[in-house]
């Protein structure tokens, strides 16, 4: 699991108290552990604080407001995403408006991202004669 340093941990505690409305709304949904995935909110990771982190899925979920589209934020976000990717983490960026307008779809999309070792829900594929072609 990724850990932050003392400065990042202190910043995470402050952000934990100052979550935006979209973050609070999504956190309420993620607390129910969709697809069995456990998330941490405002998780310190190296020099960064991830909005939400699921260790099992190696997934960072970031809620992006309009501010993420302006100034130097796109470049900063790209550098941050590259830092996480270099550590084997996938970053899923979700516009804040999506969370507020269609929370159910956002949660379904997050739940669809599964750890590699966790099979998708549902019955196994059929084992008919056509599927056995070429088997000895």
């Amino acid at each position: 699991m990724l850990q932050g340093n003392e400065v990042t941990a202190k910043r995470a505690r402050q952000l934990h108290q100052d979550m935006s409305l979209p973050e609070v709304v999504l956190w309420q949904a993620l607390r129910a552990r969709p697809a069995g995935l456990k998330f941490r909110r405002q998780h310190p990771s190296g020099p960064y604080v991830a909005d939400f982190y699921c260790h099992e899925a190696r997934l960072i979920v970031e809620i992006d407001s309009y501010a993420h589209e302006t100034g130097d934020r796109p470049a900063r976000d790209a550098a941050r995403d590259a830092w996480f990717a270099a550590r084997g983490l996938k970053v899923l960026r979700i516009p804040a408006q999506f969370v507020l307008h269609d929370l159910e779809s956002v949660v379904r999309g997050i739940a669809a991202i599964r750890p590699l070792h966790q099979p998708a829900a549902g019955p196994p594929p059929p084992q008919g004669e056509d599927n056995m072609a070429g088997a000895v």
Side-chain angles (χ1 to χ4, degrees):
M1 175 174 19
L2 291 177
Q3 299 294 319
N5 58 36
E6 187 176 320
V7 172
T8 309
K10 183 177 179 180
R11 190 165 150 254
R13 283 190 295 275
Q14 183 61 44
L15 290 171
H16 184 89
Q17 295 174 3
D18 298 333
M19 290 174 66
S20 68
L21 177 60
E23 290 172 337
V24 170
V25 168
L26 183 57
W27 174 240
Q28 292 303 316
L30 294 179
R31 288 178 67 186
R33 294 187 179 194
L37 298 174
K38 179 183 177 182
F39 284 86
R40 294 177 177 87
R41 62 182 167 157
Q42 305 303 336
H43 182 74
S45 301
Y48 301 107
V49 177
D51 289 343
F52 302 98
Y53 172 61
C54 177
H55 178 70
E56 181 183 36
R58 306 286 295 160
L59 175 66
I60 302 284
V61 177
E62 290 291 316
I63 304 303
D64 289 348
S65 66
Y66 173 73
H68 285 263
E69 299 173 17
T70 62
D72 68 342
R73 287 304 295 263
R76 288 173 45 200
D77 287 345
R80 174 187 172 105
D81 292 353
W83 188 90
F84 284 126
R87 282 144 187 87
L89 299 168
K90 177 178 176 64
V91 177
L92 179 62
R93 292 192 167 276
I94 302 171
Q97 291 303 313
F98 285 18
V99 174
L100 296 176
H101 290 13
D102 196 358
L103 177 63
E104 187 176 318
S105 292
V106 168
V107 173
R108 274 197 316 264
I110 293 169
I113 299 172
R114 307 184 163 282
L116 294 177
H117 65 275
Q118 182 180 357
Q127 296 295 318
E129 289 180 24
D130 293 334
N131 290 339
M132 298 301 288
V136 178

